[in-house]
Amino acid sequence: MAEIRQRKLKIYTRADVQTHNKPDSCWVVIGRMIYDVTEFLQDHPGGDDLILKYAGQDIEGAMKATNGIEDHPHTPAAFGMMSEMIVGKLDSGARIVDENWVATDDFVPEESNIQEDLERCEFLDLSKPLLRQVWESNFSKDFYLEQVHQPRHLKKSARLFGYDFLEMFTVTPWYVIPIIWVPITLYLLTRSYMEFSTKFGGALGGLSTLGCFLTGNVIWTILEYGMHRFLFHVDDYLPDRPFFLMLHFLLHGIHHYLPADGLRLVMPPILFTVLQYPFTQLAYKIFPGTAIANGIISGSFAFYVLYDCMHYALHHTKLPNYLKQMKSYHLKHHYSNFELGFGVTSKFWDLVFKTELK
């Protein structure tokens, strides 16, 4: 029974525990067990100051008087009484990411041992559908973010859903992106050119269309950086609730968790359709005339196709020199520091906003 109860306890990181260091929220640690002793402070025979001195910290050495500071060992009864105050357990401390890791051109990740990873890290079971596990999770946001940014690798795609009908919307071969979005891009570009040509004639209409198209290219690079940094990595503002952890995992977390999954390196068409809609509608509202809007949107879509195909290549392919550099840069974002390096097609906006990976 004790073992079953321990497995069901919510998992916290040490950083989580350290935030509970006040009289109105006082947690302490013994071994891996976390205790909420807030209500016990006023009843402690030695006064609340003795406990508050260790608020948010490990108290085992103090209770056993083995830390060289306290000289009053507690009885087994005192330890037994604390069992009623358990609120969770510490994570196992298992780490995969090496901050000094550098990608090589021939980097091929080793396959993760599913059972060993589950026992060591106590995170997700890669042999079962993942999304429901996150929805029913028993870990804190800090633990989730810590683990989801430590890459694992499988030979074939892990399942998000148990149902095949739902699963097929989450996996996308890279070539689907140009098949769907290049015709749409060409259609919008043609519409833009035809309308400009009607107004200004063929030559000037072509130049106007080209100008809008190139403007759309630039706008996409800003959107690429902004969405990656402020939407996909909205980590600090993510509510500590399973539902929001599930949304984060579905949107981008699974890519960091399984970065070499070849069927999840490009954006599923249904997801990009949802994400692009407010931006294209905004373009039609703020730019004067549909010719300008269509030209800019087509330029953005063209660079989106380039971005997704390049993103796939950076994770899988031996590349020309510039792309080799970007591969090393992007993989370092995955395997070393996910809080920097948001550019995929270039480092330009990372340099502008000082988020470049060194």
Side-chain angles (χ1 to χ4, degrees):
M1 288 296 291
E3 183 181 350
I4 294 174
R5 183 184 178 189
Q6 181 171 329
R7 282 204 303 270
K8 291 182 178 179
L9 289 173
K10 187 169 183 177
I11 303 175
Y12 295 92
T13 64
R14 197 166 291 276
D16 285 321
V17 177
Q18 288 170 351
T19 63
H20 295 270
N21 59 356
K22 302 287 193 301
D24 60 347
S25 182
C26 181
W27 290 8
V28 294
V29 176
I30 297 176
R32 286 188 62 194
M33 293 297 102
I34 303 169
Y35 303 84
D36 183 351
V37 296
T38 307
E39 295 184 3
F40 179 67
L41 288 176
Q42 60 183 356
D43 297 325
H44 184 234
D48 59 359
D49 289 348
L50 284 176
I51 298 180
L52 288 172
K53 185 165 61 173
Y54 297 97
Q57 303 175 50
D58 193 306
I59 202 172
E60 185 172 11
M63 290 188 68
K64 292 181 178 179
T66 59
N67 63 352
I69 300 174
E70 309 299 335
D71 58 4
H72 173 60
H74 288 64
T75 65
F79 282 92
M81 181 180 66
M82 291 187 67
S83 64
E84 299 177 2
M85 307 176 196
I86 294 175
V87 292
K89 65 178 179 178
L90 281 177
D91 70 302
S92 65
R95 302 290 181 269
I96 299 171
V97 168
D98 177 6
E99 292 185 359
N100 298 315
W101 184 89
V102 177
T104 58
D105 185 43
D106 59 352
F107 169 69
V108 177
E110 294 182 3
E111 185 176 12
S112 300
N113 184 310
I114 293 177
Q115 189 59 36
E116 181 183 293
D117 179 76
L118 181 60
E119 292 175 359
R120 185 161 59 102
C121 298
E122 302 176 283
F123 186 46
L124 299 176
D125 186 346
L126 285 161
S127 67
K128 299 177 181 178
L130 298 173
L131 207 61
R132 182 171 181 176
Q133 292 183 64
V134 180
W135 170 255
E136 297 175 346
S137 63
N138 66 331
F139 37 73
S140 70
K141 180 185 86 168
D142 197 54
F143 176 74
Y144 162 80
L145 291 173
E146 188 176 82
Q147 288 295 325
V148 85
H149 289 107
Q150 297 185 53
R152 278 75 161 178
H153 305 284
L154 298 179
K155 287 184 178 179
K156 61 180 182 179
S157 294
R159 294 187 68 93
L160 269 176
F161 293 97
Y163 298 102
D164 291 339
F165 173 74
L166 295 174
E167 186 70 10
M168 70 179 184
F169 292 108
T170 74
V171 290
T172 310
W174 72 269
Y175 52 80
V176 169
I177 302 306
I179 286 174
I180 292 178
W181 296 105
V182 166
I184 294 173
T185 298
L186 293 176
Y187 169 76
L188 292 171
L189 188 63
T190 301
R191 287 280 304 272
S192 177
Y193 172 71
M194 291 178 63
E195 191 169 340
F196 273 128
S197 296
T198 301
K199 289 182 179 180
F200 306 123
L204 188 55
L207 287 175
S208 300
T209 304
L210 178 61
C212 292
F213 183 82
L214 295 176
T215 300
N217 294 165
V218 175
I219 288 175
W220 168 259
T221 65
I222 299 172
L223 292 175
E224 171 193 316
Y225 175 87
M227 291 178 69
H228 192 185
R229 180 179 178 182
F230 298 111
L231 177 61
F232 298 161
H233 285 277
V234 66
D235 305 345
D236 290 342
Y237 303 99
L238 192 66
D240 192 355
R241 296 288 186 275
F243 175 76
F244 294 100
L245 300 187
M246 182 190 68
L247 287 181
H248 180 277
F249 189 77
L250 184 63
L251 187 63
H252 196 58
I254 189 172
H255 174 51
H256 273 264
Y257 187 51
L258 297 164
D261 185 340
L263 293 178
R264 290 199 173 94
L265 288 174
V266 296
M267 201 174 296
I270 191 170
L271 177 58
F272 185 70
T273 299
V274 171
L275 291 178
Q276 62 80 31
Y277 181 78
F279 293 104
T280 54
Q281 294 307 302
L282 181 63
Y284 285 121
K285 289 185 181 298
I286 65 176
F287 294 115
T290 56
I292 295 176
N294 282 334
I296 289 175
I297 293 169
S298 68
S300 296
F301 279 8
F303 254 51
Y304 159 67
V305 173
L306 172 66
Y307 154 82
D308 243 355
C309 292
M310 181 171 169
H311 183 237
Y312 178 88
L314 294 184
H315 280 274
H316 279 290
T317 312
K318 291 188 175 181
L319 304 163
N321 189 50
Y322 172 74
L323 296 184
K324 282 183 183 179
Q325 295 177 31
M326 290 308 299
K327 175 180 180 177
S328 177
Y329 187 73
H330 182 63
L331 291 186
K332 194 166 185 178
H333 167 76
H334 277 279
Y335 291 87
S336 180
N337 189 344
F338 65 89
E339 296 179 317
L340 296 172
F342 301 104
V344 174
T345 53
S346 80
K347 303 178 186 179
F348 179 78
W349 295 108
D350 280 320
L351 291 168
V352 170
F353 293 108
K354 302 185 185 306
T355 55
E356 182 190 14
L357 272 166
K358 304 295 184 181

